[in-house]
Amino acid sequence: MNKKIHTVLLVFLAAVILTACGEDTELTRFKKSIDDFCTRISEIDSSINQIDAQSDDATAQLLACLDDLDSTFQGFARLDFPEEFDYLENLAEESSEYMTEAVKNYHSAYGGDKYDEATAEYAKQNYSRAYKRIQIIISFLHGEEPTDADLSIEYQPK
């Protein structure tokens, strides 16, 4: 019995080692960066949702979270995408630009003496555009080809 367990464990260990040997480290690092980005976005989203809208510093908390979100998107845009995903780099840069514009306008909408609804709406539109591009990138990374009339991608599968 012990011999069978030992043999099974050795076969399992050999399989793990052999599959790891052929792993593309660039792709592995990229996947980890994507996972880290998504995790950080989720954490920021949770922080935003936990803000007590009635508190005196709710606006300051929200703007701080949005600044963190902008920084996270900028880091995502600086990622070096592996060759097979190079066509997505422009979308990552666009998502960061839209998020920066959104955050800048949220600061304008909430930072003055009175709330500016038009500026907040413009910020919201840019925020949505940023996330739309992230959704498209994630779809492509999962092997799906999303269709969106408002977005064009120069996709050249290899």
Side-chain angles (χ1 to χ4, degrees):
M1 182 72 154
N2 276 343
K3 217 174 195 185
K4 286 182 183 180
I5 293 173
H6 186 66
T7 303
V8 169
L9 287 175
L10 283 176
V11 170
F12 177 75
L13 181 61
V16 169
I17 290 171
L18 290 175
T19 57
C21 288
E23 203 170 298
D24 181 356
T25 56
E26 179 186 12
L27 188 56
T28 301
R29 281 192 303 267
F30 177 71
K31 286 179 181 179
K32 180 170 179 0
S33 295
I34 295 294
D35 287 345
D36 292 347
F37 170 76
C38 291
T39 298
R40 186 65 193 130
I41 295 302
S42 178
E43 292 168 352
I44 296 168
D45 183 55
S46 288
S47 295
I48 289 172
N49 289 328
Q50 292 176 5
I51 295 172
D52 177 6
Q54 304 304 317
S55 73
D56 291 338
D57 67 339
T59 299
Q61 289 180 46
L62 174 63
L63 294 176
C65 287
L66 291 172
D67 288 340
D68 193 12
L69 190 63
D70 185 26
S71 176
T72 302
F73 269 69
Q74 288 174 14
F76 180 72
R78 287 190 299 270
L79 281 179
D80 184 23
F81 283 58
E83 186 177 329
E84 62 263 35
F85 299 116
D86 271 350
Y87 63 95
L88 297 172
E89 282 189 21
N90 284 342
L91 272 181
E93 290 167 9
E94 285 178 16
S95 71
S96 176
E97 290 167 5
Y98 278 121
M99 185 56 69
T100 296
E101 186 68 15
V103 171
K104 180 180 89 175
N105 282 281
Y106 276 126
H107 274 276
S108 293
Y110 290 103
D113 291 336
K114 72 176 204 176
Y115 173 70
D116 183 347
E117 187 175 345
T119 303
E121 179 58 33
Y122 179 67
K124 180 182 172 189
Q125 290 170 5
N126 281 290
Y127 184 89
S128 294
R129 289 179 185 117
Y131 270 99
K132 180 66 169 182
R133 278 146 183 81
I134 296 301
Q135 290 171 340
I136 296 291
I137 290 169
I138 299 297
S139 293
F140 273 111
L141 293 177
H142 285 140
E144 303 164 7
E145 193 168 330
T147 57
D148 188 322
D150 297 332
L151 208 55
S152 65
I153 307 288
E154 293 185 29
Y155 173 62
Q156 299 170 358
K158 296 183 179 190

